[in-house]
Structure formats: structure tokens, C-alpha cells
Amino acid sequence: RQMCIETAEGQRTLLVVHHPDREELLSGRYADGFERIAHVITESGLPLLRLREPFTAIGAGIYRDGIHHTPLGQRALADALHQAV
């Protein structure tokens, strides 16, 4: 996922967000190909927000299925994005 942030000066910055699915969260491993994608993103100079760590601290209760969030998960996502911007 990508998020565009507009600064007070009207400039925009792209923030790339890695939103792990339940399997990634529970296994502690990234999906195949993620590290390559992350490398390309960081080599491009774009910020990459990895949400696995804050989601892991809360637990699998943030998901209502393999990828969609419960209200608790929505709050965790909102908090992480707010902190990032």
C-alpha cells in the first residue's frame, strides 16, 4: 500500500506501507519476495513503514480473517500511520 503525505509547504512525499497478512504475522516470516521489494523501495529513497512489529505486539486479534482488520486492528493501523506522519 502507498500513502501520499502533503507537508506544510505543499510538497508531497510517498510513504510505502507494508501491511502484513495474518500468516506473515503468526509465522514471523515475510511473504516470498518481500525482502526484494523492500530493497528496491529503500534503494529508491522512499520510506518504508513495516507494520509487522506493532501488529505483533498486539496479536492476531487484529484480524477478522486473513487480512481484514477488526476494530482493534483498525486502531492499530491508524495509530501506526499517525505516528509515521
Side-chain angles (χ1 to χ4, degrees), residues 37-79:
I37 293 168
H39 176 75
V40 170
I41 292 166
T42 54
E43 286 293 311
S44 299
L46 295 171
L48 173 60
L49 176 60
R50 298 176 186 226
L51 296 176
R52 191 171 72 178
E53 186 176 316
F55 284 7
T56 300
I58 298 168
I62 66 169
Y63 295 102
R64 62 182 167 99
D65 58 25
I67 195 162
H68 297 98
H69 289 136
T70 62
L72 176 64
Q74 291 290 337
R75 171 52 51 198
L77 177 59
D79 289 347

